[in-house]
């Protein structure tokens, strides 16, 4: 059984912890460890308190009690789960996924308008002739460079 008390006045109890019978028989000279769990009230202020935990035990002739923990304890708010390392790791992952998606779209659909946003002057080699795109909005403006040179030479 235990209690959480004011560090200034032990008679002022903030929280009482219930008596729990364990029902264990211990022979003279033996020792035992017991787990006594308790829950702090979630609205307790993060300040210092006096925590006292007492064990009650009986012999055949009389009852005893021993306060085995009686110390000042400090409650504090837990630190944030979001530190610089976590935020930067999530941000890096997000940017990596986004970059992977963009590269995949550009690689799979090189002639799409989305791809042309990233590569405005696209050059493609096909059957030995170099084809250069001059106007991104009109697909009929693709002209074979070799044919253009041949037309310029024949015009002379």
């Amino acid at each position: 059984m235990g209690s959480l008390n004011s560090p200034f006045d032990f008679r002022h109890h903030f929280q009482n912890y219930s008596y729990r019978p364990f029902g264990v028989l211990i022979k003279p000279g033996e020792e035992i460890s017991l787990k006594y769990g308790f829950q702090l009230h979630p609205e307790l202020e993060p300040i210092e308190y006096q925590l006292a935990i007492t064990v009650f035990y009986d012999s055949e002739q009389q009852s005893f009690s021993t306060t085995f923990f009686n110390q000042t304890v400090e409650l504090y708010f837990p630190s944030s789960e979001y530190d610089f390392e976590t935020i930067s790791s999530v941000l890096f992952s997000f940017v990596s996924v986004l970059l992977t998606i963009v590269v995949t779209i550009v690689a799979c659909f090189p002639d799409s308008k989305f791809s042309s946003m990233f590569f405005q002057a696209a050059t493609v080699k096909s059957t030995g002739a170099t084809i250069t795109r001059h106007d991104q909005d009109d697909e009929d403006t693709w002209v074979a460079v070799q044919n253009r040179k041949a037309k310029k030479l024949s015009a002379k």
Side-chain angles (χ1 to χ4, degrees), residues 123-132 143-148:
T123 302
V124 179
K125 289 190 177 182
S126 174
T127 63
T130 303
I131 302 174
T132 305
V143 179
V145 173
Q146 287 181 343
N147 291 344
R148 190 181 317 149

Side-chain angles (χ1 to χ4, degrees), residues 136-147:
Q136 4 179 351
D137 297 330
D138 187 7
E139 297 224 5
D140 295 332
T141 61
W142 289 79
V143 179
V145 173
Q146 287 181 343
N147 291 344

